Amino acid sequence: MNKILYILIALLTSDCDSFAQKVDIDNLKGNVKELKQYTIVESSSNLIKDSLLLFCKYDGKGTRIEDKIGNESRKCNVKYDEKGNLVEYCRYKFNDVLVFKVTYKYDNKGNIIEWKRYDSDEKLEKKGTYKYDEKSNEIERCIYDFNQVLKARYTHRYDRKGYLKKWGMYNTNGELVWEYTYKRNSKGKIKGCTCKSGGELEWKDKYTYYTKSRMYKICRYDYCRKLVEETVHKFNEVEKNIYDSEKNVIAKKEITKYDNQGNEIERCVYDSDGHLLEKYTHKYDDRGNEIEYVKSKGDNGIFICGTIVEYVYYD
């Protein structure tokens, strides 16, 4: 189901309010039955729940079957095959008018091999197809328009150990637009990544690992081989320095902290003088779903915006 949920996110993004997407409504943890997301306002130095932004209902398989975003309410009909794979997803307005329909096909290993999206008149809007190797690694993905004309093609190549070594994106004319190439050490860890566009170097990453430690560093160089980013991954913390490549000085710094489950709990953005520009904080419930998001600015922590999310779970 996870691969289908990621596809649904891409297909439904245009239908969802961007602010409401602070919570990943189609990739929740645990068996969520209902979700309510509210805006936060500041009152007497306290943050309190305000208006309802988003309401969602889910079936027992984790698929969204009803939602209300702003003033617009919609419901969904879903169908599964005998293996529990989602095969049809229809979204309706609450007057039972079809908004769109998506259908899915799978191979005998349960890998999705095709999806099609139809408009309100059930005419094809676009479709995607997938191919896999014998280990179920995706090796090709193609996107077609309503006339079934190829619009984009993505390819993946792997080494003998099954690690991704090259990713490419081709346009409708079959020309290579983007290409990522990965180099790995004997343990499978990435030691370098090169990004090219139209055959020309865009940037290159160099990885440094520290023995007897989980810490590692990534240095990114632009097409002129000048340092533009330096990211240090520590235990539950990532520090990123963004450089002014012309002056070779730090222009901005970001420090992000995570909990033991890998959830982001705090991200601070600083200017070149070390002054706090923006701060983002997150809180989670015991299932790992976000229950509070707050954005503030400045060293004084001036409140900008935020949301609170409430969940009801299936037993």
Side-chain angles (χ1 to χ4, degrees):
M1 287 295 296
N2 285 340
K3 188 175 290 185
I4 290 298
L5 290 178
Y6 292 137
I7 294 169
L8 278 174
I9 292 169
L11 294 175
L12 304 182
T13 297
S14 61
D15 299 307
C16 299
D17 181 88
S18 59
F19 188 69
Q21 289 303 294
K22 293 298 181 184
V23 59
D24 193 345
I25 59 177
D26 283 310
N27 194 28
L28 301 172
K29 301 172 183 177
N31 206 2
V32 176
K33 185 177 183 180
E34 291 184 5
L35 172 156
K36 292 180 180 179
Q37 184 184 34
Y38 300 87
T39 57
I40 295 175
V41 295
E42 189 173 38
S43 177
S44 302
S45 299
N46 294 316
L47 300 180
I48 60 174
K49 183 171 65 176
D50 190 35
S51 58
L52 181 67
L53 260 181
L54 172 68
F55 169 76
C56 296
K57 281 187 178 181
Y58 301 84
D59 65 12
K61 295 181 180 291
T63 303
R64 184 155 43 109
I65 56 174
E66 183 179 325
D67 62 47
K68 181 178 181 181
I69 302 175
N71 295 321
E72 185 175 0
S73 297
R74 294 167 291 194
K75 63 181 181 180
C76 307
N77 287 340
V78 295
K79 294 180 182 179
Y80 300 91
D81 63 19
E82 65 279 1
K83 296 181 180 179
N85 296 311
L86 180 65
V87 294
E88 185 176 282
Y89 186 95
C90 296
R91 173 162 295 215
Y92 298 89
K93 296 180 180 179
F94 264 80
N95 55 4
D96 293 326
V97 174
L98 181 67
V99 179
F100 66 81
K101 178 174 77 173
V102 186
T103 61
Y104 308 91
K105 291 182 180 180
Y106 306 83
D107 63 19
N108 56 12
K109 294 182 180 180
N111 299 309
I112 182 170
I113 57 174
E114 181 183 89
W115 58 260
K116 291 182 178 180
R117 172 164 169 151
Y118 301 87
D119 63 18
S120 57
D121 294 323
E122 298 200 47
K123 294 180 180 178
L124 183 68
E125 285 188 333
K126 53 187 173 181
K127 78 171 187 178
T129 61
Y130 302 78
K131 292 181 181 179
Y132 304 87
D133 63 18
E134 66 280 359
K135 296 180 180 179
S136 291
N137 294 312
E138 183 184 312
I139 57 175
E140 183 183 87
R141 178 186 307 188
C142 295
I143 308 297
Y144 301 85
D145 66 11
F146 64 96
N147 284 322
Q148 303 201 54
V149 174
L150 180 67
K151 303 304 293 183
R153 175 173 170 259
Y154 304 86
T155 60
H156 305 77
R157 292 172 59 187
Y158 305 85
D159 61 21
R160 288 179 297 177
K161 295 182 179 179
Y163 295 113
L164 180 66
K165 67 177 182 180
K166 186 166 287 189
W167 174 92
M169 187 189 83
Y170 298 80
N171 63 20
T172 187
N173 296 320
E175 300 166 334
L176 182 61
V177 180
W178 292 100
E179 182 182 61
Y180 291 76
T181 304
Y182 301 89
K183 292 184 178 180
R184 299 178 186 269
N185 61 23
S186 59
K187 296 181 179 180
K189 291 183 177 180
I190 297 173
K191 64 179 183 180
C193 177
T194 301
C195 172
K196 292 183 178 181
S197 176
E200 300 293 329
L201 180 69
E202 287 289 322
W203 50 258
K204 186 174 184 178
D205 286 347
K206 180 181 178 181
Y207 288 64
T208 302
Y209 296 92
Y210 299 89
T211 57
K212 299 180 181 180
S213 170
R214 293 172 60 181
M215 186 170 72
Y216 63 96
K217 179 172 68 175
I218 306 173
C219 292
R220 174 164 293 185
Y221 302 88
D222 64 14
Y223 63 95
C224 294
R225 292 173 172 77
K226 293 183 178 180
L227 182 65
V228 291
E229 283 184 12
E230 183 182 67
T231 307
V232 179
H233 294 250
K234 307 174 185 178
F235 179 73
N236 288 355
E237 184 176 302
V238 175
E239 180 177 324
K240 177 189 287 187
N241 293 319
I242 301 171
Y243 284 82
D244 181 329
S245 59
E246 296 300 322
K247 299 179 180 179
N248 196 29
V249 295
I250 296 175
K252 190 164 61 173
K253 174 182 287 190
E254 295 182 5
I255 298 178
T256 306
K257 296 181 180 180
Y258 301 85
D259 63 19
N260 291 332
Q261 283 71 50
N263 297 309
E264 180 181 313
I265 56 177
E266 180 183 284
R267 181 163 64 93
C268 295
V269 182
Y270 301 88
D271 65 15
S272 58
D273 295 321
H275 299 301
L276 182 63
L277 299 175
E278 298 171 335
K279 184 176 181 179
Y280 306 83
T281 61
H282 308 262
K283 293 181 180 179
Y284 303 85
D285 65 11
D286 56 3
R287 311 284 180 102
N289 290 316
E290 184 176 274
I291 56 175
E292 183 181 281
Y293 160 81
V294 175
K295 177 183 177 181
S296 58
K297 70 174 184 179
D299 294 319
N300 295 326
I302 300 173
F303 174 75
I304 301 299
C305 63
T307 58
I308 287 177
V309 187
E310 298 175 349
Y311 302 91
V312 176
Y313 292 92
Y314 285 96
D315 295 333

